[in-house]
Amino acid sequence: MAVEEVGGGDSDTARDRDLNAGELDALKMLERLGVHLNQIEDDMLLFNVCEWMRHRLTGQSPVRVPRSCLADIFVRFEGVKAHSSMCGIFVASTGYVELVVDDFNRFGPGFFRLKKTARVENGRRCNHEVVKPLVLSERNLVDVNIHLTSRDGVCIEISPASPLCHLMTSTGSPRKDLSRDGYPRLGYRTTVKVLFGKSLPQAQAEEYARELLASLFYELDVRNGVRLRTRRWPDQRAAKRVVGSPNDKVIRYPEMKVNPEISSLFGFAGTAVDNPSLAFLSYYQILEYYLPLAVKRKALREIGKEVSDPLFDKASPESLMRVLSLGERSFHGTEASQMRTLVEECVRAGKMEEFLSGSEESEHFGKRGPIKGVGVVSAGNRQQSLATQVADRVYAIRNRIVHAKDDPKYDDAPPILPQSAEADALWPDIYLMRFLASEVILDVQSGI
C-alpha cells in the first residue's frame, strides 16, 4: 500500500505527488472551507476532519474520499457555504441545500426499509439531473436513493453524501481494516438534498428547506414508519465543569441510599447529550418528584411553630384558622410556588451562589443570555432571593419545553424545540439542573 505524506496546503509538495491543476484548485478551495489534505493512500485521499467537526472526535481517524472525484468536487457547487446551523452545505446559485440525515429507527435500519419496500410515486421531470452532484457510495452497504419532485420543480433526494458534504461533515472513517466482501469501510453518510433550482439567499433557502423537510420526515414517520432527522453542527463552546470537584480516584461502597427511579433519571439525563431539552426535563423530573416532600416539610415546620407559640389558643377560631391555612397552602399551591419552596428548603444557598459565580454563568444567566423569556439570575438582585430567581427560571424553561401553544399571547416565549439554537444553548441551565438535583437528593439523605 503506497502512502504519500502531503504538507498542509503546500502546493509544491502536492505537485511532487502528481496532483494535477484541477486537483490543486480543489484543495485550495477545500482549505478555505476548513478541510485540509493529510496524505494520499493508493487511490484514496485522506483528509483531516473539518474544523467544524473536529472537537467531536474521540480519535484521529481521517476522512477518506476517492481521488477520482477531487477534480470535479466543486462542479455546480460554486460559492458553496456551510449551512448556518445544521450539518451540511448550501449553494446560493442553485438554491441547493444538502444535510446529513440520521436514522432513528428502533426495529432495523429505516434506510434499508425505504430501499427494499418503499414505492416512490414520482413521474415529474425536474432540473435535478442537470445539477445532480457526484455522490459517494460504499459497495458493501445498501444505499437508499429516493428522488421526489413537486409540481413547481422543487426536488428532494435522499441518497449517499456528495464528496464535498462528506468532507465537511464527517468525523472520520470508523475503521481502517476491511469489512465484509473485502471492501473498505469508509463511513459515508446518507444526506437529504433539496434543490430549488434558482438563486436564493441563504436564510430563505434554509428556512424553506427546514419547513419542507419537517413535513417530509413527519410523513415518513406516519406513513412509512421511518424516523429520520437532520443533525445540528456540534456545540463549539467548551464543556463546563461538573458539580463540585469530583473525587475520581476513590471508589467506595455506596453510603447513600438513592431511589432507583431517581438514579435512573439522573443517569439518563447525563447521557442525553444530543437532546438538551430531554436532559433538562430528566433533571426536572427529579425536582418534581420531591416537590410534595419539600412543601409538606415546610408546612409541618410552620404548623409546629404556630401550635408551639405560647400565644396559640386552641379554643380560638382565629388560631385554628391560621393552622388550617398553612395546611391548605401546602396542598393547593401552584407548581411554581412549590418549586420555590423546594429550592429554598433543599439547596444550600452558599453552594448555589458559588455555582453561579463564574463569568460564563454571569453572561448566560444575565440579561444578554441566549435563553429569552425565562428570567434573569443575579446575586445582586435585592428584590428577590437567589433561590426564588433560580426556581422561577427553572419553571419557565420547563414550560417553554413542555408547552407548545399556537396562541399569539405566547409569542414572547415560544417553545424551545429539540433542534434549535436555544436548545443547544441550554447546557449551562442543564448543569444548573444537575446541581439542583444533586443538592435535593443530598438533602433528602439527611432525613431532616
Side-chain angles (χ1 to χ4, degrees), residues 365-399:
F365 296 105
K367 294 181 179 179
R368 298 182 180 180
I371 313 299
K372 307 302 181 184
V374 295
V376 170
V377 176
S378 172
N381 188 333
R382 300 298 179 230
Q383 276 68 49
Q384 288 185 317
S385 68
L386 196 59
T388 297
Q389 297 175 61
V390 167
D392 289 351
R393 181 182 178 94
V394 164
Y395 186 68
I397 292 177
R398 175 261 185 191
N399 287 344

Side-chain angles (χ1 to χ4, degrees), residues 79-92:
V80 66
K81 296 180 180 178
H83 192 281
S84 61
S85 59
M86 312 304 291
C87 282
I89 60 176
F90 163 74
V91 182

Side-chain angles (χ1 to χ4, degrees), residues 146-210:
I146 294 176
H147 186 195
L148 308 168
T149 310
S150 70
R151 291 183 177 86
D152 54 0
V154 177
C155 306
I156 306 174
E157 181 175 312
I158 302 176
S159 62
S162 69
L164 183 56
C165 189
H166 173 68
L167 284 172
M168 293 186 65
T169 61
S170 174
T171 54
S173 304
R175 293 172 55 187
K176 293 183 179 180
D177 60 344
L178 299 180
S179 58
R180 66 178 186 272
D181 300 328
Y183 294 117
R185 182 175 177 180
L186 304 173
Y188 297 153
R189 304 292 298 275
T190 299
T191 60
V192 58
K193 305 164 181 68
V194 181
L195 177 67
F196 294 102
K198 59 183 179 181
S199 178
L200 288 173
Q202 183 167 2
Q204 186 177 8
E206 290 179 357
E207 179 61 19
Y208 287 168
R210 185 182 74 88

